[in-house]
Amino acid sequence: MPDYTVQIVRGVVEHWAAINDALQTYGSSDWPPERMPAVDRALLRSATWELVWGDVDSPVVITEAVRLAQELSTDSSPKFVNGPLDKIAGVKQSLV
């Protein structure tokens, strides 16, 4: 497994509660993490870790997450994934 993949997985596990809180706060009130499609939830968790604790530029993280949602999930998933990530990117310094 690539080192960066391991880093993301470990980071998500380490910051699990903070990531879920951010998704709850900045995501749709109708779709808390436990109600999201599994692919969207995984994309949002990994992208949130990258935005807040990683060293990849925010636009790159968001673009890649949206692209993956487009390829791997539902037709509405790209917009659904973009919304909270854009908000989290705007407040990421306060989440560290």
Side-chain angles (χ1 to χ4, degrees):
M1 190 175 315
D3 289 342
Y4 191 62
T5 302
V6 172
Q7 186 179 359
I8 292 172
V9 171
R10 286 184 177 156
V12 168
V13 171
E14 181 179 342
H15 298 283
W16 188 265
I19 290 169
N20 283 341
D21 287 347
L23 294 176
Q24 186 79 37
T25 300
Y26 300 105
S28 168
S29 60
D30 295 334
W31 290 95
E34 64 273 2
R35 285 197 60 214
M36 294 176 189
V39 171
D40 295 356
R41 187 172 51 239
L43 288 171
L44 284 165
R45 283 180 174 146
S46 60
T48 297
W49 178 83
E50 282 188 293
L51 286 170
V52 178
W53 294 277
D55 58 1
V56 179
D57 291 337
S58 296
V60 174
V61 172
I62 295 169
T63 299
E64 187 64 13
V66 169
R67 185 188 66 75
L68 287 169
Q70 199 169 26
E71 288 182 26
L72 302 172
S73 199
T74 69
D75 289 341
S76 59
S77 291
K79 268 188 174 179
F80 179 76
V81 166
N82 185 71
L85 293 180
D86 188 50
K87 291 175 189 172
I88 290 168
V91 298
K92 67 182 182 179
Q93 295 304 324
S94 68
L95 300 176
V96 177

